[in-house]
Amino acid sequence: MLALIFLVTTVMAIYIKVLLLRIWMQWARCDFYNPFSQFVVKITQPVVKPLRRIIPSIGPLDSASLLIAYIVSVLLGPVLLRLFVKDPIFLYFGLVILVKAAGVLVFWVIIVRSLMSWISQGRNPVDYVLIQLTEPLMAPVRRIIPAIGGIDFSAMAVILVLYMLNFLGLEYILGWAQF
């Protein structure tokens, strides 16, 4: 039973992150014709397309994808806690799971972009999307902390801010540590 719960929670968590990545890519106006962008759209399209007819986008925010990510997060809460009861607290826990998943996604995208900058140097389609996603976060930091000796510390500063927000969540948000 534990293996099944692990498998279900892993698939749900990955799908939440892919949905959040789709929202982030639309918000950052990533190249839609990029192969990586096409993959993200194609893997989420079967679920998002029917709901998009009912719920329109709000500016650059893909509200249909956000609603589906929230619903999957609400469903993930009882599975993670191994409680199979209906309780309104899981609506709150779904929001906590969604916010924490967004933070983890930002963290890993910045890490992958930093590692790929050592290897591919912008020639890969995935690298191009990662640059489009992280540049709105890293450019303001780069204005404050310039490159020193050719080393860019903006990724480290953004990750440090994410760690600080995670510790603030641990201290002030109920249920943050469980998810």
Side-chain angles (χ1 to χ4, degrees):
M1 185 68 177
L2 288 176
L4 180 64
I5 290 174
F6 172 76
L7 182 65
V8 169
T9 56
T10 302
V11 168
M12 289 172 80
I14 289 172
Y15 200 69
I16 289 169
K17 287 178 180 62
V18 171
L19 285 165
L20 289 173
L21 187 60
R22 178 183 173 132
I23 296 166
W24 190 9
M25 288 169 60
Q26 186 176 352
W27 174 76
R29 299 179 194 264
C30 288
D31 181 20
F32 180 73
Y33 296 106
N34 187 302
F36 183 71
S37 300
Q38 287 292 313
F39 169 75
V40 170
V41 170
K42 285 181 183 176
I43 202 166
T44 57
Q45 192 70 5
V47 180
V48 173
K49 187 176 181 181
L51 194 60
R52 209 174 230 184
R53 293 181 187 143
I54 302 167
I55 302 173
S57 293
I58 302 170
L61 182 67
D62 186 6
S63 54
S65 297
L66 184 61
L67 180 64
I68 293 170
Y70 176 69
I71 290 170
V72 174
S73 299
V74 168
L75 295 174
L76 183 63
V79 174
L80 282 173
L81 296 175
R82 291 171 185 75
L83 300 172
F84 301 105
V85 294
K86 295 179 183 178
D87 193 1
I89 192 73
F90 290 118
L91 297 174
Y92 168 74
F93 284 152
L95 185 63
V96 170
I97 290 170
L98 192 63
V99 169
K100 198 160 184 180
V104 168
L105 179 67
V106 170
F107 171 80
W108 282 110
V109 166
I110 290 173
I111 292 291
V112 170
R113 178 194 171 181
S114 299
L115 292 175
M116 286 186 72
S117 70
W118 297 343
I119 301 166
S120 69
Q121 298 175 357
R123 295 183 196 100
N124 191 343
V126 175
D127 196 27
Y128 184 64
V129 169
L130 294 177
I131 288 170
Q132 287 179 324
L133 288 173
T134 57
E135 202 55 35
L137 299 172
M138 293 170 59
V141 175
R142 212 174 281 126
R143 278 186 239 127
I144 298 169
I145 306 171
I148 300 171
I151 299 173
D152 185 16
F153 290 104
S154 61
M156 251 194 295
V158 172
I159 288 173
L160 186 66
V161 169
L162 285 172
Y163 269 114
M164 181 191 68
L165 291 173
N166 189 30
F167 280 112
L168 284 174
L170 283 171
E171 193 170 340
Y172 295 113
I173 298 174
L174 175 69
W176 190 262
Q178 283 84 9
F179 304 107

